Amino acid sequence: MSDIQNDTSADKTAAAYKRLYETIRTLRAPGGCPWDREQTPLTMRRDLIEETFEAVDAVSTGDAAHAKEELGDVILNASMIAYMYEQQNDFSVAEALDELTDKLIRRHPHVFPQSEGMSEVTEKVTTGEQVLNQWDRIKENVEGRKSVKTILDEVPEGFPPLLRAYKLQKKAAKKGFDWQSIESVAAKVYEELEEVKEASQALQDAKSAGDTSGLQAASDGRNAPPARMSQAERAALHLEEEFGDLLFAVVNYMRHSGVDPETAMDRANRKFYRRFAYVEERMAKAGIPMDGDHLQDEDAFWNAAKKSGL
């Protein structure tokens, strides 16, 4: 692509974003859309997350037209939230964009000679791994983002548990704390599954033995002091712990396999939604109640949904 074509594309992009920005301003202005005017950065959080997952799903399917639409929705939500902060005089949309661009230049000194991160260039960068290592040095030494206690502190506590497990494992791996083969990772999953089975059996045995009076309190987080816990309560907490270990091991297996757990889980959720909705629709049309007594019919419709590509 020529420099002239690059300039034309940049001009078109700038004009398109300006049009979007002006449209958002109109929606949020007096006399604009009542729903848009009612929203705040906090109320828009769920929309931003949902649109991001929908965009990831569109990219995963390789549907460019769908990806174009969904990525546009992500840009809209991010821009709308940024404009809300602008309305509150916290920062402007332009400041957010400039800060982002400055960060990109600072963290890519191998591309931009004027980068503030040039001091952290210790070798010729030719691989993605070298880029990430350099990126971390710039974050720590140029931007001053040093961990307080451990490298794991760099992973926000507010992340969803599945994502946080994945990020914690990646950080630990940077320090060399990682499995040396994917076979070992897979074996750990099966090991944890066996421990879940053992813990589940222990819970059933404890229930059969008698005292389950405080079991619900233990399972929903309102745990009794250890000295006052029944055997069943302790067994329930242990089963919860073992399930957590199993999930952590599965996330690790996914990481070693190059699979993002959040994306995979979202795709699984969407697939279940499509297939179950199909089963509901077909059962209703056939006049068959979904009451647990017609599982054979439900399985047949489920398999039909699978064969149809849902």
Side-chain angles (χ1 to χ4, degrees), residues 280-290 294 301:
E280 276 190 311
E281 180 184 6
R282 294 299 300 272
M283 291 286 284
K285 286 182 177 179
I288 306 173
M290 295 186 70
H294 300 84
F301 287 134

Side-chain angles (χ1 to χ4, degrees), residues 48-67:
L48 180 60
I49 292 171
E50 290 179 358
E51 294 297 351
T52 299
F53 276 122
E54 289 178 9
V56 170
D57 189 56
V59 172
S60 299
T61 60
D63 187 338
H66 189 202

Side-chain angles (χ1 to χ4, degrees), residues 108-110 117-125 134 137-138:
H108 291 82
H110 52 291
M118 190 60 71
S119 61
E120 301 309 313
V121 176
T122 60
E123 59 185 340
K124 184 177 180 180
V125 174
Q134 180 177 268
R137 292 197 303 273
I138 292 171

